[in-house]
Each structure stands twice: as C-alpha cells, then as structure tokens.
Amino acid sequence: MIARTITPHLDELAKSFRVVSIMGPRQSGKTTLARNHFPNHRYVNLEDIAVRQLAKSDPTEFFRQHPGPVILDEVQRVPELLSAIQVLSDGTKKNGQFILTGSHQPDMRAKVSQSLAGRAAILELLPLSISELKGAGIVMDRDDYIFNGFMPRIYDEHVSPELLYANYYRTYVERDVRQLINLSNQHAFEVFIKLLAGRVGQLVNLSSMSNDIGVSSMTLASWLSVLEASYLVFRLPCYFNNFGKRQIKTAKIYFTEVGLAAYLLGIESPAQAARDPLFGGLFENMVVLEALKARCNIGKEPELYYFRDKRGLEVDLILNKGRTLRPIEIKSARTYDASFTQPLKKFVAFAGSVSQPSIVYAGDLTPTINGIRFVNFADTADIITASVTKRVEASPPRIR
C-alpha cells in the first residue's frame, strides 16, 4: 500500500469522534486505508447481498453479530444503519468505534450529518497525489501522469490504465448511476460524460450541450449533479468578493481522475496525450486536482476558485486562505516564458491581499519574474499548503 498523506488527519478524527466517515470516489483507496489504519476493527462489506439484507431488515441483529469497533464498507448501500449507529454511539464513550466508507457525496453526507450530528466526522479521500507517488519512489514524466492517472490499483496491483478505466467507467454507468437516478437514456448519458471530458477546464454551457445530445438542459443539470455526487467530476466556482455571486457564476468542470478523462477522449498512450489538442485542459485538470487533494489531505474545505472578469482577464486557480488570495496560472509548457506572468501581474495590481502568485508549468527551472514564481507541477501541493506571507506588490522584472 502506498502511504497516504491524509493518515494523520484520519488518526486525529478517530481519536476525537465515535464515528468517522471516509468518503471519496470508487477505488480511491478508502477500504485499504481503513483496514490498514484500523487493523483491530472488524470489517463488514455491505456490497455482500446476504450481509446487506440482514442490515436492512434487522439492524439490531446486524450489530449483535458485528459489534464495534467495526469498519462498514459502502455504507451508502444501507442508510438505515445510520440511526442504529446513532443509538450505539450514544451508548459508548470510546471514539473511533465506527469507521464508515461511502462513494456518494451529497446524499451520504446529508444523511451522516442529520443522523449523526455531533458524533461523526467526515473525511474525503481522493485518488493518489503526485507527492504520495513520489514518496513510494514513483516519479514519472508529465505525459505519463496524465495517461496513467492516480488510481491506487494502477500502482499497487500494476493494472493497466486502459483496462482499469474501461472497467471503472462501465461499472460506474451500469451500477452506480442506476443507484442514483432512474436513467432511461443510457446512451445520451454516456455521450454527456464524454462531451464533458472534451471540456475539462472550460465553462460548460448546458443549453448548448442539450442541443448536441437531444435532452433538456434541466436533465443535463441533474446528470451533472449525479456525476459530482459520485465523485466523478469536481466543480471549480468563480471567485467574487461577494460570496453569493460565487454560487451563481458558471463553474468550470474537472474530472476527479484525469486518467479517466484521458480514457474517455480515446487517448491510448502518453505520447498521444502530449499530441492531443485538449492536452492543455488535461494538464490543467491534473494541477487543479492536485490542489484539491492537498486541501482534502489536511482536512480543509477546498476554498479553490478560478477568476474571470468581463474584460477577459482570467486566472486559472485561486486559493482563498484566510482572506488572502493565492493565485495560480497553469501552463503545460516545459519552458518558462515571461509573458505567462501577465494575467497574474494584472490580477495582483487590483485584487488586494494577494500572496505568493505562481505559475505552475512542466519545466524544472524556478525563476521569479515580476514577483511571480515559476513552480514545477509536481510541487503544486507545496504551494497550496505553504503558510500565507505578506501581500505581493507588482514589481519590476527580476530573475533568480
């Protein structure tokens, strides 16, 4: 098992709460993490039909057979258990007694919050990060990361990316989607997913897509919510000083697993990925998700945004950290260029409290130009987790 950065946070939650819910995409390593970190807990897989039937029909008997401390895998399959867990957790003073895993975000999060308010902590585990792979001695080139993706089985079990993502996609469409919605037009849904893969890092116009697919924009909006609910995609909202406007402006869409996005685009090798006209979007997808993983792994809300104004000024990624903005421009190029700094230079000039503006790119040199530092994409997490420093003023060009 590749060591996970989130483990100290999991340990902290288990010492403080009676119930810990580990949520995230399928095959992101939730079960492996839980079983390795809590070796003395019983393990129950609620995908097992007989076990699931008992849990649904007689929760009392279920917990008589499987008392805490226990790991309940895929608990979203039996939400009826949450009420029983509430009663049992109230009857014990021991923390970390119930470790739950689940793959469906809003519905499961809401049920945990309602049934186990004050008793449960929620932790989100995403696929492997570049720094986690590096810690295991796995260092790859830009194009290999995008083609292979970050699912643990690719590295722990040496499953080929093509085989894994084909099975992952098919299982998702045929099983998970049907648990979440009554899908009457599977073909249209699959077309929608593939069109989204072709729009990573872009604003998604559902009205335009509805004409291409032949279903209403309202249906597409509900499908997009399903994709987000099952951790297939991540929405990056637009940043505004007015918090309410962040919720109204169109979000950018990214896949939680860039390897799956590459598979959906028909990319069959790292070399083909580098030549693909959508490579810039895939690279941006990878970097944005590295930032998201860095936040999740320390137990923080994402607080990640992009910026775009009416004049066309755009910043790819912004971390809002304690009301100090950390802007990041993302470039897939291997060679730095001073012109890359222009959008950030303009943003810094009017944005107010700004810290550590950076260009994340695929090169190894790390010059500072116009007060803006160039950083290799493999170090994205370092930018996100670094402490906030003083405000950065636009300055004359300097290179070091």
Side-chain angles (χ1 to χ4, degrees):
M1 172 189 169
I2 294 175
R4 305 307 299 264
T5 306
I6 206 169
T7 302
H9 182 53
L10 171 60
D11 194 47
E12 180 184 12
L13 294 180
K15 290 177 181 177
S16 303
F17 293 87
R18 295 164 194 172
V19 184
V20 178
S21 178
I22 305 174
M23 301 175 66
R26 282 197 176 276
Q27 300 186 30
S28 62
K30 301 183 299 297
T31 302
T32 302
L33 175 65
R35 298 191 74 174
N36 278 273
H37 195 68
F38 303 102
N40 296 323
H41 282 49
R42 294 175 179 83
Y43 171 75
V44 182
N45 187 352
L46 292 168
E47 293 285 11
D48 185 294
I49 295 176
V51 172
R52 188 165 68 246
Q53 287 178 342
L54 174 62
K56 285 185 174 184
S57 62
D58 193 345
T60 301
E61 175 62 19
F62 173 84
F63 280 112
R64 190 191 70 79
Q65 295 184 21
H66 307 289
V70 62
I71 299 167
L72 301 178
D73 203 3
E74 300 296 348
V75 73
Q76 81 279 351
R77 301 280 278 160
V78 192
E80 296 89 342
L81 285 181
L82 296 179
S83 295
I85 292 172
Q86 174 187 345
V87 174
L88 292 170
S89 64
D90 286 344
T92 180
K93 294 183 179 180
K94 295 181 180 179
N95 290 326
Q97 288 295 290
F98 300 94
I99 309 299
L100 317 179
T101 79
S103 304
H104 299 156
Q105 179 184 8
D107 185 51
M108 190 61 203
R109 181 188 288 272
K111 288 175 180 175
V112 169
S113 299
Q114 291 168 7
S115 301
L116 301 172
R119 306 168 182 84
I122 295 176
L123 175 147
E124 290 186 308
L125 181 70
L126 298 177
L128 293 165
S129 67
I130 292 175
S131 59
E132 287 171 335
L133 289 174
K134 184 178 180 181
I138 302 170
V139 178
M140 297 184 292
D141 182 62
R142 173 196 69 176
D143 308 340
D144 294 292
Y145 281 119
I146 289 173
F147 174 71
N148 289 324
F150 297 90
M151 286 298 188
R153 289 187 63 202
I154 290 173
Y155 304 97
D156 288 335
E157 302 175 27
H158 306 291
V159 179
S160 77
E162 283 187 282
L163 183 61
L164 185 143
Y165 293 119
N167 180 69
Y168 188 95
Y169 172 65
R170 182 53 51 200
T171 301
Y172 170 76
V173 171
E174 293 182 352
R175 184 176 65 174
D176 288 8
V177 171
R178 297 189 184 281
Q179 290 180 25
L180 293 169
I181 57 174
N182 180 20
L183 185 62
S184 59
N185 192 335
Q186 180 172 318
H187 174 72
F189 185 84
E190 294 190 40
V191 171
F192 178 57
I193 295 176
K194 292 181 179 181
L195 287 177
L196 284 178
R199 289 166 170 77
V200 289
Q202 300 178 27
L203 304 183
V204 174
N205 186 327
L206 295 180
S207 295
S208 174
M209 293 180 72
S210 70
N211 294 328
D212 297 334
I213 301 171
V215 298
S216 71
S217 58
M218 290 184 62
T219 297
L220 295 185
S222 69
W223 288 355
L224 184 58
S225 296
V226 167
L227 294 174
E228 187 177 23
S230 47
Y231 287 96
L232 211 72
V233 302
F234 166 69
R235 300 194 209 201
L236 185 69
C238 185
Y239 180 82
F240 282 89
N241 286 330
N242 180 310
F243 183 82
K245 288 185 179 179
R246 295 182 205 171
Q247 311 308 311
I248 298 170
K249 193 75 173 181
T250 303
K252 286 187 175 184
I253 303 297
Y254 298 93
F255 275 69
T256 307
E257 173 51 78
V258 68
L260 177 62
Y263 165 78
L264 291 171
L265 291 173
I267 294 173
E268 298 180 349
S269 70
Q272 184 184 347
R275 297 191 303 267
D276 195 275
L278 298 175
F279 180 78
L282 291 171
F283 182 82
E284 183 177 321
N285 193 140
M286 177 174 65
V287 172
V288 169
L289 264 295
E290 283 298 299
L292 180 62
K293 292 170 192 175
R295 294 290 290 175
C296 289
N297 285 342
I298 58 174
K300 300 293 186 182
E301 291 296 317
E303 287 292 340
L304 297 171
Y305 307 91
Y306 76 94
F307 174 82
R308 177 180 290 182
D309 67 13
K310 294 179 180 178
R311 296 167 294 182
L313 175 62
E314 183 171 354
V315 177
D316 293 325
L317 183 64
I318 294 174
L319 169 63
N320 183 17
K321 191 169 184 179
R323 297 189 178 181
T324 297
L325 304 180
R326 186 167 292 166
I328 300 169
E329 190 71 2
I330 302 170
K331 300 292 183 182
S332 61
R334 296 185 187 272
T335 305
Y336 75 85
D337 188 318
S339 67
F340 293 167
T341 66
Q342 292 307 308
L344 288 183
K345 186 177 178 182
K346 293 178 182 177
F347 182 79
V348 167
F350 75 82
S353 183
V354 174
S355 168
Q356 303 175 6
S358 306
I359 306 286
V360 171
Y361 80 128
D364 295 323
L365 299 178
T366 56
T368 297
I369 303 174
N370 293 327
I372 298 164
R373 187 164 67 106
F374 282 73
V375 180
N376 182 267
F377 69 92
D379 298 322
T380 300
D382 295 340
I383 304 173
I384 299 301
T385 57
S387 298
V388 172
T389 59
K390 65 180 181 179
R391 184 186 186 279
V392 176
E393 302 288 349
S395 58
R398 61 187 177 88
I399 300 178
R400 69 182 183 196

